[in-house]
Amino acid sequence: MKKIVILFIISLLMFLTLPQPSKIWGQTSFAEIRGVWITKNDSDIWLDTPKLESSIQELAQLNFNTIYPVVWNSGYVSYDSAVAKRVGIPIIKAGNNKDMIAEITYQGHLNRLLVVPWFEFGFMAPPSSELALKHPRWLTNRRDGSKMGNSAAGQVVWLNPFHPQVQQFITDLVLEICTRYRVDGIQFDDHMALPRDFGYDPYTVNLYKQETKKNPPANPQDREWVKWRADKITDFMVRLNTLLKQRNPNFIFSVAPNPYSTAYNLFLQDWKRWVNLGIVDELIIQVYRPDLNSFVRELNVPEVQNARKKIPTGVAILTGLRNNPSPITLIEDKVRQARRYRLGVSFFYYETLWIEKPTETPDLRKAVVRALFYNPQPRFPVSKI
């Protein structure tokens, strides 16, 4: 306990010597993003309603202001979806048989937190999923015909983002989520994209021929071929944004991509253009770097600093995976560096933020976050209170 108190006091003193976020950002800017992703992996709050309630209440007490619960991953949705049933995807409910998205939304708003469901898998799906098995024509492939790719989630296949039926399916799912629940927005991450080696399926090849009068280049890195595919994904995101804004003009269209060079050159995700087109309401760049120096290098790049002048912008900080949490001192340093560059933060993910290490108890880790988030930064609209 003595160690926890000492660390809290040190963190608090360091915090108070820095400009507060309201002073850093200035009068015309945005509240600092203080978010956390809530996954279904390693998580028991999906199964325990009392724990969910206490967890969200604690986040509010620690001055978080945004939560991102997963609603689409591994080829399944986290709620009873008519759209999923229509395309042959079984519904996998929480063990308590409750609608956890409704529960999270209610508890989040009760505690004045923004609730922005996270569309995690985007165009990605496991090869063994019902979605992939029942709709093989929805999948895209490399030039050699192979469909399988590697990801942090293991081997996956990719839905063809250029195929109208795929676009309609994704659109229907997103609109269903945003119509069914009183959520504050929807978040798309680095999987609302396509690895650059893909796009050689018959549908896309024919579409490219029709529009350009030539075959797709054999080299997937060809600049024109990269731009054509990236522009197609951009066009889809613009249409999706328009449909969401027609439902609710105040809806938050959130994007959590990789740093731009990786996002565009490797995954055809032109999020810098999305920001310039005005379709992104919130940007959180995934800067999952193991050391502070490589983390900081990604913060002061022009596309990030230009974005933060237009919209709420932050960086995603990796708090650990499964039984390998990041040291709280490294997490603390990353938050401070993000503030130096006028950026908010979101933590990936809830369980590893508090998980115990041999030298760090959950209470100690919470004490550090409490010191970092010493003053409130509300984002929840007064009209909803």
Side-chain angles (χ1 to χ4, degrees), residues 193-231:
L194 184 69
R196 67 183 179 190
D197 291 349
F198 289 80
Y200 289 92
D201 57 274
Y203 179 86
T204 305
V205 169
N206 288 332
L207 183 62
Y208 186 78
K209 286 180 179 179
Q210 290 174 16
E211 295 191 1
T212 67
K213 310 304 179 187
K214 54 188 177 182
N215 291 318
N219 179 9
Q221 302 178 45
D222 178 88
R223 292 180 64 180
E224 182 181 322
W225 177 224
V226 166
K227 185 177 185 304
W228 183 88
R229 288 174 293 165
D231 287 349

Side-chain angles (χ1 to χ4, degrees), residues 35 41 59 81 112 118 139 194 264 272 312 326 337 355:
N41 300 325
L59 287 172
S81 166
R112 302 184 181 183
W118 168 36
L139 306 181
L194 184 69
Y264 181 78
K272 181 172 70 172
S326 300
Q337 290 297 327
I355 199 167

Side-chain angles (χ1 to χ4, degrees), residues 224-277:
E224 182 181 322
W225 177 224
V226 166
K227 185 177 185 304
W228 183 88
R229 288 174 293 165
D231 287 349
K232 290 295 181 187
I233 294 175
T234 295
D235 291 344
F236 170 68
M237 296 300 283
V238 169
R239 293 195 300 273
L240 186 56
N241 175 273
T242 299
L243 289 170
L244 284 168
K245 294 297 185 177
Q246 287 173 349
R247 302 287 180 99
N248 182 353
N250 297 318
F251 213 74
I252 297 170
F253 198 88
S254 176
V255 179
N258 283 312
Y260 184 70
S261 179
T262 299
Y264 181 78
N265 293 310
L266 299 185
F267 293 95
L268 314 177
Q269 192 179 45
D270 195 357
W271 61 256
K272 181 172 70 172
R273 186 173 174 220
W274 301 357
V275 171
N276 291 336
L277 287 172

Side-chain angles (χ1 to χ4, degrees), residues 319-330:
T319 52
L321 297 173
R322 297 191 183 276
N323 295 319
N324 185 30
S326 300
I328 192 61
T329 51
L330 178 60

Side-chain angles (χ1 to χ4, degrees), residues 40 46 70-72 76-94 96-103 169 172-173 175-181:
K40 289 194 291 186
W46 285 86
V70 64
V71 289
W72 166 250
Y76 303 99
V77 291
S78 304
Y79 62 97
D80 191 0
S81 166
V83 174
K85 290 176 182 176
R86 189 166 67 240
V87 300
I89 301 175
I91 305 302
I92 300 178
K93 294 185 178 180
N96 55 17
N97 209 34
K98 287 193 173 183
D99 186 337
M100 295 308 292
I101 302 304
E103 290 278 339
F169 167 66
D172 290 346
L173 266 187
L175 291 177
E176 182 181 54
I177 294 164
C178 300
T179 303
R180 177 169 179 164
Y181 301 101

